[in-house]
Amino acid sequence: MRTTTTIFKREMAGYFATPLAYIFIVIFLVLAGILTIFVGNFVGQGHAGLQSFFGLHPWFYLFLIPALSMRLWAEERKTGTLELTMTLPIRLREAVVGKFAAAWCFAGIALALTFPFWITVNYLGDPDNGVILASYLGSWLMAGSYLAVGAFISATTRNQVIAFVVTVTVCFFFVVMGSTIVIDFVSGWANDEFLEFVRYISILNHFAGISKGVLDLRSVLFFISIIGLFLTLNAIVIDRVRSN
């Protein structure tokens, strides 16, 4: 645990040691504001709530979270510091969890800095703050799922651009599984069990439920399972790289 904490602190310090962290946060906040106001019609939605804000997150994260995760392992593989790190008395799971936790915490900081939206809707009306709080939790869990996918893919390559593109593609797959187009297409030829599976692996469906204030344990477990699965795959890949 102490080693995980040390890696976590080192990674967090690394984020804020360069202007990239601040640039990422500024881009995150500006895009969140622009998309919510102009695409989500925040002003004209006619009620005090953040549905228009959170409704864009599954798509909004498709590009920003992979941009955050692409350097996690690819950069260390490219510079050769991964081999050096793996010679230290550090357990593999401690390195994987420590780096992921730092990236997830950093994403959480960027998300938390959108709090002016929350203050604004409370100033303008009487929103259900329980729903908003659940939406923030769901959004953070979803960001963690994207990050875990990105960390695994970043571990498989030395090229950050490839890691970014593949992560966007895989996360897009998880999102569109819940879209009407895919559900209608699959229901035309698949049996009920497969259709249910497609619905279940949809990030869109699980997040939609939480963003309505329904903190379903199955949805929480889904996001935690995605994180656990891809961090395990991440560790397997790094272990093979170390062995070679």
Side-chain angles (χ1 to χ4, degrees):
M1 185 64 184
R2 182 179 298 175
T3 306
T4 303
T5 304
T6 301
I7 294 173
F8 172 83
K9 290 180 179 178
R10 188 198 68 175
E11 290 291 319
M12 284 299 289
Y15 283 119
F16 291 99
T18 68
L20 289 177
Y22 303 98
I23 293 172
F24 177 87
I25 289 176
V26 169
I27 292 175
F28 185 97
L29 296 177
V30 170
L31 282 180
I34 291 174
L35 290 175
T36 302
I37 293 172
F38 296 104
V39 179
N41 193 24
F42 177 71
V43 178
Q45 62 182 346
H47 59 87
L50 289 179
Q51 288 87 347
S52 60
F53 171 64
F54 288 110
L56 296 169
H57 280 205
W59 309 100
F60 177 53
Y61 284 169
L62 267 182
F63 298 97
L64 287 179
I65 298 300
L68 184 62
S69 67
M70 66 182 186
R71 58 168 290 275
L72 282 177
W73 294 101
E75 185 178 36
E76 291 207 33
R77 289 194 61 179
K78 182 179 180 180
T79 58
T81 55
L82 176 62
E83 289 76 7
L84 177 62
T85 302
M86 291 297 105
T87 61
L88 301 175
I90 299 173
R91 294 177 181 174
L92 186 56
R93 68 170 182 273
E94 293 172 334
V96 171
V97 173
K99 288 172 76 69
F100 168 77
W104 197 14
C105 184
F106 181 76
I109 291 172
L111 178 62
L113 289 175
T114 62
F115 71 91
F117 281 109
W118 195 346
I119 295 175
T120 301
V121 293
N122 274 276
Y123 177 77
L124 295 175
D126 185 25
D128 188 333
N129 285 309
V131 172
I132 295 176
L133 184 60
S135 300
Y136 267 106
L137 176 61
S139 180
W140 190 52
L141 285 169
M142 182 169 58
S145 301
Y146 283 32
L147 271 174
V149 172
F152 159 62
I153 294 170
S154 177
T156 64
T157 177
R158 298 172 184 267
N159 190 311
Q160 294 189 38
V161 175
I162 292 176
F164 174 80
V165 173
V166 176
T167 302
V168 170
T169 304
V170 174
C171 290
F172 178 75
F173 168 80
F174 276 111
V175 171
V176 297
M177 283 295 102
S179 67
T180 304
I181 295 175
V182 173
I183 294 298
D184 289 345
F185 173 75
V186 174
S187 62
W189 54 269
N191 56 31
D192 291 342
E193 288 77 13
F194 187 77
L195 186 60
E196 189 61 29
F197 172 74
V198 171
R199 286 198 181 98
Y200 180 75
I201 64 172
S202 165
I203 282 179
L204 208 58
N205 285 343
H206 288 287
F207 179 66
I210 295 178
S211 64
K212 292 176 182 174
V214 183
L215 203 54
D216 192 332
L217 182 60
R218 290 172 299 180
S219 295
V220 174
L221 288 177
F222 169 78
F223 286 121
I224 293 175
S225 299
I226 291 289
I227 293 171
L229 171 65
F230 281 96
L231 289 187
T232 301
L233 293 174
N234 184 171
I236 292 172
V237 171
I238 295 300
D239 187 44
R240 291 197 173 189
V241 171
R242 181 175 59 177
S243 300
N244 292 331

